[in-house]
Each structure stands twice: as C-alpha cells, then as structure tokens.
Amino acid sequence: MELEISSLSELSAQIMPYMKRGVVTNAFLSPSVYAAEIAEKRLFVDSGDDFLGLYFRREDFCHFYYYALGGAPVFSSEPLICETVGEAPDFISAHFSPILSRVRLIRAPLDLTAERDKRIRFLDKVDAKGGFALLCSCFDRRTAALPTFTEFLSDCAERRAIGLLSENCLTGLLRFSSSAKRAEIRHVCVSPLYRRNGGAAALCRFFLSQNGKKTVTVFTGAENAAARALYTAFGFVPDNITSVVY
C-alpha cells in the first residue's frame, strides 16, 4: 500500500533499513530534491520483502526509484519512468523497455576567463515562473529529470540557475548543482526561436568562468550530437559512465 511521505525524517525512516552492503539503488538524490517533492505532495513509497519503491508523482506518470536487496519489486499501477546508471538490475530489464541512453562527460579543473556578456545573469525568484516554463517547453518531461517548480524556485533563490536574455526576454538557461570541488550541469536549453546564435555556448562559458576550477560533469543524450559537440568544445570528454531511461 502506497504511503505519502510528509517529511524528510519520515522518508529517512523508510530508507535507513536499506543503507547497507548489497542493496541496489538508483536513488542518488540530494535532500533538497526530496524536500521539493514532499512540499508539493508528490512523494510516495511502497515496500515489500527486501524492496522499497519511491514514486515521484506527475500528472500522468511517476518517476520510479528503488532500494532492492533481492526482494520482489513493488510497482505502482501508474505508468513509470526509471533511470539506471550502469547495468540495470534484472527486475528493471524484465519489466521495463529502454527509451533512451545518456553518456556522462567530464571536464577537469581548468580556469576559463570570459568577457562579460550582458545577455547573461543569474536568475532570481522573480524569474522562476518564466524559467520553469522554458525548461518544460524545451525538454521531454518524462525523460529529462525535470525539477518540480519548488525545486527550480530554490535553484533561482540560491544562484543555481543562469539566464540568457534576448530583447529583455528570458530565452535560455543553464541549471546546475555545485559543491566545493565539483559541479554538475543539470539542464541547458535555449528557446527554439533563438537557437543557432551562440546562446548555449554563452551560458556554458559563463558557468565555466564561475566553476572552472572544479571538476564538472554533465549527462547528455548519447544520440544528441549537437550537445556533445558543444561540451567537447569546452574540454569535456566521455568518462565511460552511462545511464538508460526506461
């Protein structure tokens, strides 16, 4: 029976029994992601023998995460989207069909000096509604690991989103996470009407001028030649880590 999670402490109590050797999981998420799902009342769990399923509810499907110790899987009756890094466990490959694959690219710490681009700035809370709409319009909401609005609002408030402005309109953005020594590009997008004008490169250049001394990673579609060429131009190389979206 599915249980709606109402706090991080309640979620922690569900997960703690599975924090041990031998458990297989795809739930490599930060507390802020869980907190955003809980705030929007979208996070549910279901458990069985040696198995815990986490469901992030969307309008017509769920993102599915799991902790498994050889137990029988618990699946919601709703359509599920699941992403695994590396080889998928048998219960995923037996019940799900692959949709697309991603590759991870990595860039070693390297300073990048960039001239100030008046089109680029950090987003703030007043930009959140427009930025979130842009994200949702540029990506497949099933497969792009899009944030909730609450999570994106937090990104804007904490300077984890960079905007590209054209004619005083937000036409592109880069969303990222960052720690002392590492950073990850989460999403880069430009509105279709403003593509092929160097916007995505300008966003990356600004981001790397701020984070170039860190190791930076990004996942991108294995078949997305344009994105891979963009990142390669900034010194990213494949690191042999892949994921599959089911």
Coordinates of all heavy atoms in Angstrom, one line a residue, residues 35-84:
A35 N 13.0 17.1 -0.6 CA 12.2 18.1 0.1 C 11.2 18.8 -0.8 O 10.1 19.1 -0.5 CB 13.1 19.2 0.8
A36 N 11.7 19.1 -2.1 CA 10.8 19.7 -3.0 C 9.6 18.8 -3.4 O 8.5 19.3 -3.5 CB 11.6 20.1 -4.3
E37 N 9.9 17.5 -3.6 CA 8.8 16.6 -3.9 C 7.8 16.5 -2.7 O 6.6 16.5 -2.9 CB 9.4 15.2 -4.2 CG 10.3 15.1 -5.4 CD 9.6 15.3 -6.7 OE1 8.3 15.0 -6.8 OE2 10.2 15.6 -7.7
I38 N 8.3 16.5 -1.5 CA 7.4 16.4 -0.3 C 6.6 17.7 -0.2 O 5.4 17.6 0.1 CB 8.3 16.2 0.9 CG1 8.9 14.8 0.9 CG2 7.4 16.4 2.2 CD1 10.0 14.6 2.0
A39 N 7.2 18.8 -0.5 CA 6.5 20.1 -0.4 C 5.3 20.2 -1.4 O 4.3 20.8 -1.1 CB 7.4 21.3 -0.7
E40 N 5.5 19.5 -2.5 CA 4.4 19.5 -3.5 C 3.5 18.3 -3.4 O 2.6 18.0 -4.2 CB 5.0 19.6 -4.9 CG 5.7 20.9 -5.1 CD 5.9 21.3 -6.6 OE1 5.3 20.6 -7.5 OE2 6.7 22.2 -6.9
K41 N 3.7 17.5 -2.3 CA 2.9 16.3 -2.0 C 2.9 15.3 -3.2 O 1.9 14.7 -3.6 CB 1.4 16.7 -1.7 CG 1.3 17.6 -0.5 CD -0.2 17.9 -0.2 CE -0.3 18.9 1.0 NZ 0.3 18.4 2.2
R42 N 4.1 15.1 -3.7 CA 4.3 14.2 -4.9 C 5.1 12.9 -4.5 O 5.2 12.1 -5.4 CB 5.0 14.9 -6.0 CG 4.3 16.1 -6.6 CD 5.1 16.8 -7.6 NE 4.5 17.9 -8.3 CZ 3.7 17.9 -9.3 NH1 3.5 16.7 -9.9 NH2 3.2 19.0 -9.9
L43 N 5.6 12.8 -3.3 CA 6.4 11.7 -3.0 C 5.7 10.6 -2.2 O 5.1 10.9 -1.1 CB 7.6 12.1 -2.2 CG 8.6 11.1 -1.6 CD1 9.1 10.2 -2.8 CD2 9.8 11.8 -1.0
F44 N 5.7 9.4 -2.7 CA 5.0 8.2 -2.1 C 6.0 7.1 -2.1 O 6.9 7.0 -2.9 CB 3.8 7.8 -2.9 CG 2.7 8.8 -2.9 CD1 2.8 10.0 -3.7 CD2 1.6 8.7 -2.1 CE1 1.8 10.9 -3.7 CE2 0.6 9.6 -2.1 CZ 0.7 10.7 -2.9
V45 N 5.8 6.2 -1.1 CA 6.7 5.0 -1.0 C 5.8 3.7 -0.9 O 4.6 3.8 -0.4 CB 7.7 5.0 0.2 CG1 8.6 6.2 0.0 CG2 6.9 5.0 1.5
D46 N 6.3 2.6 -1.3 CA 5.7 1.3 -1.2 C 6.8 0.3 -0.9 O 7.9 0.4 -1.5 CB 4.9 0.9 -2.4 CG 3.8 0.0 -2.1 OD1 3.7 -0.6 -1.0 OD2 2.9 -0.3 -3.0
S47 N 6.5 -0.6 0.0 CA 7.6 -1.6 0.3 C 7.1 -3.0 0.3 O 5.9 -3.3 0.4 CB 8.1 -1.3 1.7 OG 7.1 -1.4 2.7
G48 N 8.0 -3.9 0.0 CA 7.7 -5.3 0.1 C 8.9 -6.0 0.8 O 9.6 -5.4 1.5
D49 N 9.0 -7.3 0.6 CA 10.1 -8.1 1.2 C 11.5 -7.6 0.6 O 11.7 -7.9 -0.6 CB 9.9 -9.6 1.0 CG 8.7 -10.1 1.7 OD1 8.3 -9.5 2.7 OD2 8.2 -11.1 1.3
D50 N 12.3 -7.0 1.4 CA 13.6 -6.5 1.0 C 13.5 -5.6 -0.3 O 14.4 -5.6 -1.1 CB 14.5 -7.7 0.7 CG 14.9 -8.5 1.9 OD1 14.9 -7.8 3.0 OD2 15.0 -9.7 1.8
F51 N 12.5 -4.8 -0.4 CA 12.3 -3.9 -1.5 C 11.6 -2.6 -1.1 O 10.5 -2.7 -0.4 CB 11.6 -4.6 -2.7 CG 11.7 -3.8 -4.0 CD1 12.6 -4.2 -4.9 CD2 10.8 -2.8 -4.3 CE1 12.7 -3.5 -6.1 CE2 10.9 -2.1 -5.4 CZ 11.9 -2.5 -6.4
L52 N 12.1 -1.5 -1.5 CA 11.4 -0.2 -1.3 C 11.3 0.6 -2.6 O 12.3 0.8 -3.2 CB 12.2 0.6 -0.2 CG 11.6 2.0 0.1 CD1 10.3 1.9 0.9 CD2 12.6 2.9 0.9
G53 N 10.1 0.9 -2.9 CA 9.9 1.7 -4.1 C 9.5 3.2 -3.8 O 8.7 3.4 -2.9
L54 N 10.1 4.1 -4.4 CA 9.8 5.5 -4.3 C 9.2 6.1 -5.5 O 9.7 5.8 -6.6 CB 11.1 6.4 -4.0 CG 11.7 6.3 -2.5 CD1 12.1 4.9 -2.1 CD2 12.8 7.3 -2.4
Y55 N 8.1 6.8 -5.4 CA 7.4 7.3 -6.6 C 7.2 8.8 -6.5 O 6.7 9.3 -5.5 CB 6.0 6.6 -6.6 CG 6.0 5.1 -6.7 CD1 5.9 4.4 -5.5 CD2 6.2 4.5 -7.9 CE1 6.0 3.0 -5.6 CE2 6.3 3.1 -8.0 CZ 6.2 2.4 -6.8 OH 6.3 1.0 -6.9
F56 N 7.7 9.5 -7.5 CA 7.6 10.9 -7.6 C 6.4 11.1 -8.6 O 6.6 11.0 -9.8 CB 8.8 11.6 -8.2 CG 10.0 11.6 -7.2 CD1 10.0 10.9 -6.0 CD2 11.2 12.3 -7.6 CE1 11.1 10.9 -5.2 CE2 12.2 12.3 -6.7 CZ 12.2 11.6 -5.5
R57 N 5.3 11.5 -8.1 CA 4.1 11.6 -9.0 C 4.1 12.8 -9.9 O 4.4 14.0 -9.4 CB 2.8 11.7 -8.1 CG 2.4 10.3 -7.5 CD 0.9 10.1 -7.8 NE 0.6 8.7 -7.6 CZ 0.2 8.2 -6.4 NH1 0.0 9.0 -5.4 NH2 0.0 6.9 -6.3
R58 N 3.7 12.6 -11.1 CA 3.5 13.7 -12.1 C 2.0 13.5 -12.5 O 1.3 12.7 -12.0 CB 4.5 13.6 -13.2 CG 5.9 13.8 -12.8 CD 6.2 15.1 -12.2 NE 7.5 15.4 -11.8 CZ 8.0 15.3 -10.6 NH1 7.2 14.9 -9.6 NH2 9.3 15.5 -10.3
E59 N 1.6 14.4 -13.5 CA 0.2 14.4 -13.9 C -0.3 13.0 -14.4 O -1.3 12.5 -14.1 CB 0.0 15.4 -15.0 CG -0.1 16.9 -14.4 CD 1.3 17.4 -14.0 OE1 2.3 16.7 -14.4 OE2 1.4 18.3 -13.2
D60 N 0.6 12.3 -15.3 CA 0.1 11.1 -15.9 C 1.2 10.0 -15.8 O 1.1 9.0 -16.6 CB -0.3 11.3 -17.3 CG 0.7 12.0 -18.1 OD1 1.8 12.3 -17.6 OD2 0.5 12.2 -19.3
F61 N 2.1 10.1 -14.9 CA 3.1 9.1 -14.8 C 3.9 9.3 -13.5 O 3.7 10.3 -12.8 CB 4.1 9.0 -15.9 CG 5.1 10.2 -16.0 CD1 6.3 10.2 -15.4 CD2 4.7 11.4 -16.6 CE1 7.2 11.3 -15.5 CE2 5.5 12.5 -16.6 CZ 6.8 12.5 -16.1
C62 N 4.8 8.4 -13.1 CA 5.6 8.6 -11.9 C 7.1 8.3 -12.3 O 7.4 7.4 -13.1 CB 5.2 7.6 -10.8 SG 3.6 7.8 -10.0
H63 N 8.0 9.1 -11.7 CA 9.4 8.8 -11.7 C 9.6 7.7 -10.6 O 9.1 7.9 -9.4 CB 10.3 10.0 -11.4 CG 10.3 10.9 -12.6 ND1 10.9 10.6 -13.8 CD2 10.0 12.2 -12.7 CE1 10.8 11.6 -14.6 NE2 10.3 12.6 -14.0
F64 N 10.3 6.6 -10.9 CA 10.4 5.5 -10.0 C 11.8 5.3 -9.6 O 12.8 5.2 -10.4 CB 9.9 4.2 -10.8 CG 10.1 2.9 -10.0 CD1 9.6 2.7 -8.8 CD2 10.9 1.9 -10.6 CE1 9.8 1.5 -8.1 CE2 11.1 0.7 -9.9 CZ 10.6 0.5 -8.7
Y65 N 12.0 5.2 -8.3 CA 13.3 5.0 -7.7 C 13.2 3.8 -6.7 O 12.1 3.5 -6.2 CB 13.8 6.2 -6.9 CG 14.0 7.4 -7.8 CD1 13.0 8.3 -8.0 CD2 15.2 7.6 -8.4 CE1 13.2 9.4 -8.8 CE2 15.4 8.7 -9.3 CZ 14.4 9.6 -9.4 OH 14.6 10.7 -10.3
Y66 N 14.3 3.1 -6.5 CA 14.2 1.8 -5.7 C 15.4 1.6 -4.9 O 16.5 2.1 -5.1 CB 14.0 0.6 -6.7 CG 15.1 0.5 -7.7 CD1 16.3 0.0 -7.4 CD2 14.9 1.0 -9.0 CE1 17.3 -0.1 -8.4 CE2 15.9 1.0 -10.0 CZ 17.1 0.4 -9.6 OH 18.1 0.4 -10.6
Y67 N 15.2 0.8 -3.8 CA 16.2 0.2 -3.0 C 15.8 -1.3 -3.0 O 14.7 -1.7 -2.5 CB 16.2 0.7 -1.6 CG 16.7 2.1 -1.5 CD1 15.9 3.2 -1.6 CD2 18.1 2.4 -1.2 CE1 16.3 4.5 -1.5 CE2 18.5 3.7 -1.0 CZ 17.6 4.8 -1.2 OH 18.1 6.0 -1.1
A68 N 16.7 -2.2 -3.4 CA 16.4 -3.6 -3.5 C 17.5 -4.4 -3.0 O 18.7 -4.2 -3.2 CB 16.2 -4.0 -5.0
L69 N 17.1 -5.4 -2.2 CA 18.1 -6.4 -1.6 C 17.6 -7.8 -2.0 O 17.4 -8.7 -1.2 CB 18.1 -6.2 -0.1 CG 19.2 -7.0 0.6 CD1 20.6 -6.6 0.2 CD2 19.1 -6.8 2.1
G70 N 17.3 -8.0 -3.3 CA 16.9 -9.3 -3.8 C 15.4 -9.6 -3.6 O 15.0 -10.7 -3.9
G71 N 14.7 -8.6 -3.1 CA 13.3 -8.8 -2.8 C 12.5 -8.6 -4.1 O 12.9 -8.2 -5.1
A72 N 11.2 -9.0 -4.0 CA 10.3 -8.9 -5.1 C 9.9 -7.4 -5.3 O 9.6 -6.7 -4.3 CB 9.0 -9.7 -4.9
P73 N 10.0 -6.9 -6.5 CA 9.7 -5.5 -6.7 C 8.3 -5.1 -6.5 O 7.4 -5.9 -6.7 CB 10.1 -5.3 -8.2 CG 10.0 -6.6 -8.9 CD 10.3 -7.6 -7.8
V74 N 8.1 -3.9 -6.1 CA 6.8 -3.3 -5.9 C 6.6 -2.2 -6.9 O 7.3 -1.2 -6.9 CB 6.6 -2.7 -4.5 CG1 5.2 -2.1 -4.3 CG2 6.9 -3.8 -3.4
F75 N 5.6 -2.4 -7.8 CA 5.4 -1.4 -8.9 C 4.0 -0.7 -8.7 O 3.0 -1.4 -8.4 CB 5.4 -2.0 -10.2 CG 6.8 -2.6 -10.6 CD1 6.9 -3.9 -11.0 CD2 7.9 -1.8 -10.5 CE1 8.1 -4.4 -11.4 CE2 9.2 -2.3 -10.8 CZ 9.3 -3.6 -11.2
S76 N 3.9 0.6 -8.8 CA 2.7 1.3 -8.9 C 1.9 0.9 -10.1 O 2.5 0.5 -11.1 CB 2.9 2.8 -8.9 OG 1.7 3.5 -9.2
S77 N 0.6 1.0 -10.1 CA -0.2 0.7 -11.3 C -0.1 1.8 -12.3 O -0.6 1.7 -13.4 CB -1.7 0.5 -10.8 OG -2.2 1.7 -10.2
E78 N 0.5 3.0 -11.9 CA 0.6 4.1 -12.9 C 1.8 3.9 -13.8 O 2.7 3.1 -13.5 CB 0.8 5.4 -12.1 CG -0.4 5.7 -11.2 CD 0.0 6.8 -10.2 OE1 -0.2 8.0 -10.6 OE2 0.3 6.5 -9.1
P79 N 1.8 4.5 -15.0 CA 3.0 4.5 -15.9 C 4.2 5.0 -15.1 O 4.2 6.0 -14.4 CB 2.6 5.4 -17.0 CG 1.1 5.4 -17.0 CD 0.7 5.3 -15.6
L80 N 5.3 4.2 -15.3 CA 6.6 4.6 -14.6 C 7.7 4.9 -15.5 O 7.8 4.3 -16.6 CB 7.0 3.4 -13.7 CG 6.0 2.9 -12.7 CD1 6.5 1.7 -11.9 CD2 5.6 4.0 -11.7
I81 N 8.5 5.8 -15.1 CA 9.8 6.2 -15.8 C 10.9 5.9 -14.8 O 10.8 6.4 -13.7 CB 9.8 7.6 -16.3 CG1 8.7 7.9 -17.3 CG2 11.1 8.0 -16.9 CD1 8.9 7.2 -18.6
C82 N 11.9 5.2 -15.2 CA 13.0 4.8 -14.3 C 14.3 5.0 -15.1 O 14.5 4.7 -16.2 CB 12.8 3.4 -13.9 SG 14.1 2.7 -12.9
E83 N 15.3 5.6 -14.4 CA 16.7 5.7 -15.0 C 17.7 5.0 -14.1 O 17.7 5.1 -12.9 CB 17.1 7.2 -15.1 CG 18.4 7.4 -15.7 CD 18.7 8.8 -16.2 OE1 17.9 9.7 -15.8 OE2 19.7 9.1 -16.8
T84 N 18.5 4.2 -14.7 CA 19.6 3.5 -14.0 C 20.9 3.8 -14.6 O 21.0 4.1 -15.8 CB 19.4 1.9 -14.1 OG1 19.5 1.5 -15.5 CG2 18.0 1.5 -13.6

